Amino acid sequence: MTELRRERFSVMTERGEVTAVLKGTFYHGAETRVDFPCVGDFVLLKYNESGNSLIVTVLPRHSKFSRADYSGHATGYTKTVLEQLVATNFDYVFILSSLNRDFNVTRIMRYLTQARQSGGQPVVILTKADLVEDYTLPLSEVTQSIPDVPVHAISSHTALGLSELDSYFMPGKTVVFLGMSGVGKSSLLNALMEQNVMQVQAIREGDSRGRHTTTHRQLFMLPSGTMVIDTPGMRELGLFDANEGIRASFADVEEWFPQCRFTDCRHQTEPGCAVLSAIADGSFSRERWEHYLTQQHENKYVQDKTSYLIDKRARDKTLAMQSKNTKKNGGWKI
Ligand code: GDP
Ligand code: ZN
């Protein structure tokens, strides 16, 4: 309790950045930390000229990323799985994946599943196009796998393809970056900011203080008036109740299931399995089925791994903010 009381939030308002604390009632009966402010939230603020301002309310969110927190510290229960928010109120989810050696369509599909359940609109960004001889091949491979999602190949070093992204960078829009460490999130952000707001990986690795102790902002305002969320939490995002997202991404796969003879068919060796016979007669792609199985498997793996990470890491409590009065919500974005 005392520890929570020490939480300070930065909120950007028309008076500039102010430090705020949560109103006391946040702690009474707050069973879940989902009530707590998160990067991207809009809040109602009681401004205090001479000290900490007061966060009175967190306004409803239209999109969110969360991860499973198995630690149970917030409530005192030991085995409760909590939903821990990582970012909120974004419009676009940029799924970054590099075109060079790490190129992996399955991983893009996995991130797509997360993006789809977040409430944001997914956009796939294939990075480091300058490192491959011909990016059109991987580009069309991804486009064919996910025909309903925009895909762009870019290079933050040569600025190739960056202008294709202009249509997303409208004032007041918020973008969140999703992708493995090293895919070029900081580099893209730097290129978009046209100034170095973050150190890229190579420099960070030489920094003995390490990534997690280096204070850095988590929400950036681009010259266009678009905000970009890039938080440490996003970098180790796990899947929280991904089933809904998997269903959306693999509706074509799951529509075979009701046709299986047995309702509890595992689609492995069962007689009368609609999936197996559709694969056998060519009416359903084996590759697609394998994508689905990989996804299911990775979902389980990521959840296990996330619980491990969360127990080991203290939550980064710094929230960085934006500088716009959000009149339409009547609140301030934090
Ligand atoms: P992050 O961990 O996702 O933020 O990745 P970084 O932005 O730190 O980039 C990781 C490494 O990839 C760094 O060595 C960057 O210089 C390199 N990198 C990022 N974008 C590009 C690019 O467009 N082209 C090339 N050649 N290298 C890049
Ligand atoms: Zn079956």
Side-chain angles (χ1 to χ4, degrees):
M1 203 62 102
T2 38
E3 216 177 317
L4 288 174
R5 282 196 182 281
R6 267 190 258 125
E7 285 205 55
R8 297 275 188 281
F9 302 89
S10 316
V11 184
M12 274 309 242
T13 73
E14 65 183 3
R15 295 171 213 253
E17 190 168 320
V18 304
T19 304
V21 294
L22 292 173
K23 198 175 166 217
T25 51
F26 267 98
Y27 301 100
H28 303 309
E31 304 279 88
T32 67
R33 277 185 273 181
V34 172
D35 281 356
F36 277 56
C38 172
V39 181
D41 272 339
F42 292 102
V43 298
L44 291 180
L45 202 67
K46 210 173 196 178
Y47 183 66
N48 178 356
E49 221 169 290
S50 54
N52 291 323
S53 295
L54 210 58
I55 294 174
V56 181
T57 315
V58 177
L59 295 169
R61 297 156 176 144
H62 67 80
S63 59
K64 62 175 184 176
F65 272 115
S66 20
R67 57 188 181 186
D69 179 354
Y70 295 79
S71 67
H73 290 287
T75 58
Y77 303 133
T78 45
K79 285 272 188 277
T80 312
V81 180
L82 293 171
E83 179 185 7
Q84 186 179 47
L85 286 169
V86 176
T88 65
N89 295 326
F90 42 85
D91 301 283
Y92 300 111
V93 181
F94 279 17
I95 299 168
L96 278 81
S97 187
S98 71
L99 280 160
N100 65 340
R101 55 196 153 78
D102 300 322
F103 182 73
N104 179 331
V105 179
T106 307
R107 192 184 301 125
I108 295 173
M109 306 282 274
R110 169 157 63 87
Y111 280 124
L112 189 59
T113 299
Q114 284 181 288
R116 280 193 164 122
Q117 65 183 357
S118 74
Q121 189 185 321
V123 177
V124 173
I125 310 286
L126 303 176
T127 61
K128 310 189 191 183
D130 59 297
L131 292 181
V132 292
E133 220 158 90
D134 181 9
Y135 64 80
T136 58
L137 239 70
L139 179 62
S140 66
E141 190 187 337
V142 177
T143 311
Q144 278 162 27
S145 308
I146 43 170
D148 54 335
V149 176
V151 185
H152 305 277
I154 61 128
S155 165
S156 303
H157 285 194
T158 68
L160 178 134
L162 289 185
S163 61
E164 282 179 32
L165 306 180
D166 285 349
S167 61
Y168 306 108
F169 299 135
M170 294 298 162
K173 294 283 182 194
T174 302
V175 176
V176 68
F177 286 179
L178 195 56
M180 308 251 298
S181 177
V183 296
K185 295 183 291 296
S186 312
S187 302
L188 176 58
L189 185 55
N190 285 342
L192 295 173
M193 294 289 284
E194 292 154 340
Q195 68 185 67
N196 276 15
V197 290
M198 289 186 80
Q199 297 175 314
V200 295
Q201 185 78 42
I203 304 167
R204 260 194 321 242
E205 277 169 356
D207 179 352
S208 57
R209 286 173 301 163
R211 173 181 302 188
H212 294 284
T213 53
T214 309
T215 53
H216 71 200
R217 301 185 67 81
Q218 300 184 31
L219 194 144
F220 303 85
M221 178 73 80
L222 299 184
S224 62
T226 306
M227 290 152 281
V228 176
I229 296 177
D230 183 48
T231 77
M234 290 298 294
R235 289 168 186 264
E236 51 199 42
L237 198 65
L239 296 168
F240 188 85
D241 187 22
N243 292 335
E244 202 183 306
I246 290 177
R247 266 199 296 278
S249 293
F250 292 95
D252 63 308
V253 176
E254 300 202 338
E255 74 189 14
W256 292 103
F257 297 171
Q259 299 173 46
C260 295
R261 186 180 304 160
F262 304 112
T263 48
D264 61 348
C265 185
R266 288 169 305 138
H267 326 296
Q268 289 168 358
T269 54
E270 289 83 352
C273 172
V275 175
L276 297 179
S277 66
I279 291 172
D281 72 18
S283 51
F284 176 51
S285 136
R286 174 178 297 279
E287 208 182 348
R288 184 83 180 128
W289 177 241
E290 279 167 5
H291 262 320
Y292 178 81
L293 294 179
T294 309
Q295 168 76 78
Q296 297 278 20
H297 179 78
E298 289 198 3
N299 179 21
K300 190 182 178 316
Y301 170 77
V302 169
Q303 290 214 14
D304 293 348
K305 185 159 173 265
T306 305
S307 70
Y308 170 78
L309 281 172
I310 301 262
D311 283 344
K312 290 194 64 151
R313 289 215 175 115
R315 185 177 166 220
D316 185 341
K317 289 165 186 149
T318 318
L319 297 178
M321 313 308 158
Q322 70 120 335
S323 60
K324 268 208 167 157
N325 182 358
T326 57
K327 290 206 179 72
K328 74 175 178 261
N329 296 315
W332 304 102
K333 182 135 169 164
I334 70 167

